[in-house]
Amino acid sequence: RSKRRGRGQITVYSREIAQEMKRATQLEQALRNAIINDAVDVHFQPIVRLSDGAPVGFEALARWNDPDLGFVSPAVFVPLAEERGFIDALSETLLRKAAEAALSWPRELFLSFNLSSAQLMDPTTTETTLATLARVGLDPHRLELEITETAVMTSADTAARIITQLRKAGVRISLDDFGTGQSSLGRLRDFTFDKVKIDQAFISRITSDRPSEHIVRAIITMCQGLDLDVVAEGIEEKADADKLKELGCGMGQGYYYGKPVDGNATLRYLQEHYRDFLMIERG
Ligand code: C2E
Ligand code: MG
Ligand code: MG
Ligand code: MG
């Protein structure tokens, strides 16, 4: 009897897997079409200097609103594109759109773009990234690439080579979601970064949870010693910002300063928050 029940469970389980696979394949097809039809969009979230709240750059975040499937999170479709082997096509479209938008921002502002882990294992990433910038006409010095610790650690040699080549071309490298990945601090010595982004999991608890505050304090101190810039992610309240300033954190990002918005809304944001933006735009 227990055997039969066991088999029953297996049947239910595999039906779920089959449904899951069917849904993934539907998503894949819709996503491939969206890329071809240029329907995947990119939004921008300000990264600010904490001392005065002025924007210093924007992070590009992929957005896909499918007419049939509705809003699909990049946390779902980016990994799907990686698994199904077309992350380079997706990423190229996104970088092109993001770089085009950055052309109409003040030159001092950088564009921060997320590189997926699969791209850090692909030796052609340097070439395709720089080619896209050249085609659009965006100076590589204005680009930052966000990578994760886990991605760096899984394919260390290739990743290190890509990072070195891109930095040589003027691109800066930012370590995203710091504190949550699988790395040892010792191994981080082997890679050269420009910036560390402290994961929002620590920031959301910074005013209520002593351990989180101590971890953030330690990361900031470490970065100061290593001469790395620091960004706190996921700042949602004034109290978080005040605490981070007190701890000496240089930059911040989060809903408190601005949610990710489309290209036009980003220009309106700049008109409100960036000194002399109109003057610069009108030459
Ligand atoms: P991420 O790179 O760590 O991006 C930060 C995420 O936190 C974004 O979610 C952003 O909308 C969200 N966020 C920003 N401020 C706040 C805040 O104050 N509170 C909260 N709760 N969340 C905040 P999003 O846009 O859903 O992106 C999720 C992840 O998907 C990103 O995490 C990144 O890993 C990936 N992703 C997004 N766009 C791209 C892309 O163009 N390429 C690649 N490879 N990955 C991308
Ligand atoms: Mg990021
Ligand atoms: Mg992040
Ligand atoms: Mg994240």
Side-chain angles (χ1 to χ4, degrees), residues 152-170:
V152 169
M153 297 306 153
T154 36
S155 185
D157 290 348
T158 308
R161 215 170 305 125
I162 293 170
I163 291 169
T164 306
Q165 290 165 342
L166 286 166
R167 288 186 85 244
K168 227 183 200 166

Side-chain angles (χ1 to χ4, degrees), residues 120-187:
L120 269 182
M121 299 174 198
D122 175 358
T124 66
T125 293
T126 308
E127 238 178 273
T128 52
T129 303
L130 295 177
T132 302
L133 291 185
R135 227 177 302 124
V136 173
L138 189 79
D139 184 347
H141 290 92
R142 291 188 59 194
L143 182 69
E144 288 190 8
L145 291 173
E146 300 192 7
I147 63 180
T148 63
E149 297 161 82
T150 311
V152 169
M153 297 306 153
T154 36
S155 185
D157 290 348
T158 308
R161 215 170 305 125
I162 293 170
I163 291 169
T164 306
Q165 290 165 342
L166 286 166
R167 288 186 85 244
K168 227 183 200 166
V171 176
R172 287 186 303 273
I173 304 293
S174 184
L175 206 51
D176 202 0
D177 303 342
F178 189 78
T180 59
Q182 301 160 318
S183 70
S184 74
L185 291 177
R187 293 218 47 198

Side-chain angles (χ1 to χ4, degrees), residues 45 59 61-63 74-75 78 94 113-116 146 176-177 200 233-236 254-255 260:
Q45 184 179 33
E59 177 174 4
L61 293 160
R63 291 291 179 265
V78 169
L94 293 169
F113 185 82
N114 292 283
L115 215 55
S116 81
E146 300 192 7
D176 202 0
D177 303 342
Q200 55 189 50
E233 300 192 88
I235 302 177
E236 293 187 350
Y255 297 164

Side-chain angles (χ1 to χ4, degrees), residues 50 203 232-237 240-241 244 252-257:
L50 286 176
I203 307 305
E233 300 192 88
I235 302 177
E236 293 187 350
E237 288 165 38
D240 306 334
L244 287 158
Q253 177 180 359
Y255 297 164
Y256 175 66
Y257 291 103

